Amino acid sequence: MEREYKEILRQYIENQSEQNLYLGETFSRGLIEKDISPEEVISIHKSALKDVLPGLPSKVWHSFDFLIEMMIRYGLALKEHQSLVKKQEEMQVEMELASNVQETLLKTKIPDIEGLDIGYVTVPSRTMSGDYIYFVSNETDEAGVAVADVMGKGIPAALCMSMVKFGMDSLQQSDEGPSEVLSVINRIVEKSVNDSMFVTMFYGKYDAQRSLFSYASAGHEPALLYRAAEDTFHELDAKGLLLGVSEDARYEEGAVTIDDGDFIAIMTDGVTEARTPEGFVEKETILELIGSVKEKTAQEMAEHVFSELDRMQGFRLQDDFSLVILKKK
């Protein structure tokens, strides 16, 4: 290889043609295939140059020695960098696979309840989401909705959410009220999830026959009730510990009657704590965003709020975004 390189270098110094450059490029691919290090390439060049241009001053040869030492450090750093890039690529593939599994696992179906319009948007800020939306229905006149948020990201949060889904699946045909639903889920989370992992959750149940919405909260963001007759918003707050803190936690339950044109907005802190370069988005701004599209369908309302908050954050979500709208037709 040294003899071949010496001949390529001699021809280039004499002619400096495109053909000579092409030969050099072809030769470099051979060096890569044989895993020749950068410092070895410089050593080959130095040896070849001594034969091709033997009259160069000693300072030039010293400069090559200096460059060889630099390339030794550079080669080690390059290999370490390449190793990290490969690990990151492998991790990204695994994360995308886990994300697809999570999306399939947490898939939910919007209930078809007469007189109730339901829409929702949930978008992760990263590959894996720490938010969860789940609907429960008896397919006649009752519909339940759970909105949860894990304090954490990535695969641990996704695994925690699978525990929540397991609990919700077990309650699919149950007539339990919101406070009891949270108690059941809390016991599952407390027994199955690491002590450092906590979950906030809001669960609401709509009874179409009585136009009654009952709800309970495990340390979650209060839902918002919009009264069409008054054109005002009211918070639906209920006391209760986060899921997974204490096995014996009890959850306060509230209930409100829903009139025509009223709607309820249930969200995670990715909505209420949206951040722009200027700071947090004010609560009044969020209320204005929701109120400005109150005449649209529930799905259009949820999509409008997401698109506007996404735009205000420079199309880079700082946290997982989840919003559910339940609107009385």
Side-chain angles (χ1 to χ4, degrees), residues 4-251:
E4 184 180 351
Y5 181 78
K6 185 191 303 181
E7 182 58 26
I8 292 173
L9 178 63
R10 185 187 62 76
Q11 290 181 16
Y12 178 75
I13 291 175
E14 291 178 357
N15 304 316
Q16 298 178 23
S17 67
E18 290 294 328
Q19 178 65 23
N20 300 138
L21 282 175
Y22 175 75
L23 290 173
E25 291 172 4
T26 304
F27 185 82
S28 68
R29 288 195 288 270
L31 294 173
I32 294 172
E33 291 172 359
K34 295 181 181 298
D35 197 27
I36 305 299
S37 65
E39 64 271 18
E40 288 176 308
V41 174
I42 296 170
S43 180
I44 291 172
H45 179 78
K46 177 184 176 183
S47 177
L49 199 61
K50 279 186 175 180
D51 290 339
V52 175
L53 297 174
L56 290 176
S58 60
K59 291 182 179 180
V60 174
W61 308 122
H62 294 328
S63 72
F64 280 111
D65 295 335
F66 174 75
L67 186 57
I68 288 171
E69 290 298 320
M70 282 186 58
M71 287 299 101
I72 291 173
R73 304 301 176 190
Y74 171 81
L76 293 173
L78 180 61
K79 286 184 178 180
E80 183 178 354
H81 171 72
Q82 290 171 335
S83 176
L84 289 174
V85 169
K86 184 178 179 180
K87 288 180 180 178
Q88 287 178 338
E89 290 173 348
E90 292 173 350
M91 187 177 296
Q92 183 62 32
V93 170
E94 292 178 358
M95 287 291 287
E96 289 175 357
L97 177 61
S99 178
N100 292 334
V101 172
Q102 182 192 38
E103 185 177 347
T104 302
L105 180 67
L106 303 185
K107 192 172 293 184
T108 187
K109 181 181 178 182
I110 296 179
D112 184 12
I113 303 297
E114 186 176 354
L116 186 66
D117 183 20
I118 303 176
Y120 77 98
V121 171
T122 180
V123 180
S125 60
R126 302 180 185 176
T127 305
M128 303 290 288
S129 178
D131 285 359
Y132 177 48
I133 294 174
Y134 189 88
F135 294 103
V136 178
S137 174
N138 63 4
E139 299 181 354
T140 54
D141 56 5
E142 287 185 345
V145 57
V147 178
D149 185 0
V150 177
M151 291 187 176
K153 303 296 179 189
I155 292 178
L159 293 174
C160 182
M161 276 307 174
S162 68
M163 292 296 100
V164 175
K165 182 184 188 297
F166 167 76
M168 293 304 302
D169 283 341
S170 69
L171 296 167
Q172 184 66 251
Q173 304 300 324
S174 172
D175 292 328
E176 302 289 357
S179 61
E180 184 56 32
V181 167
L182 289 186
S183 295
V184 172
I185 302 301
N186 175 64
R187 289 193 289 272
I188 293 173
V189 172
E190 199 276 333
K191 291 180 181 297
S192 308
V193 178
N194 188 283
D195 292 341
S196 63
M197 190 77 69
F198 301 107
V199 185
T200 70
M201 182 170 166
F202 185 97
Y203 184 78
K205 187 175 184 180
Y206 178 71
D207 183 338
Q209 290 187 355
R210 296 185 293 167
S211 296
L212 186 72
F213 182 80
S214 53
Y215 60 91
S217 176
H220 198 79
E221 297 288 326
L224 297 174
L225 166 63
Y226 174 76
R227 292 292 191 190
E230 305 168 3
D231 191 27
T232 55
F233 282 95
H234 306 272
E235 286 191 348
L236 300 182
D237 199 6
K239 293 181 175 63
L241 280 175
L242 283 70
L243 302 179
V245 175
S246 170
E247 183 181 2
D248 301 322
R250 295 293 178 264
Y251 298 95

Side-chain angles (χ1 to χ4, degrees), residues 298-311:
Q299 186 62 38
E300 289 172 337
M301 292 173 66
E303 290 175 357
H304 173 78
V305 175
F306 167 71
S307 62
E308 286 300 304
L309 287 179
D310 191 32
R311 178 186 60 79

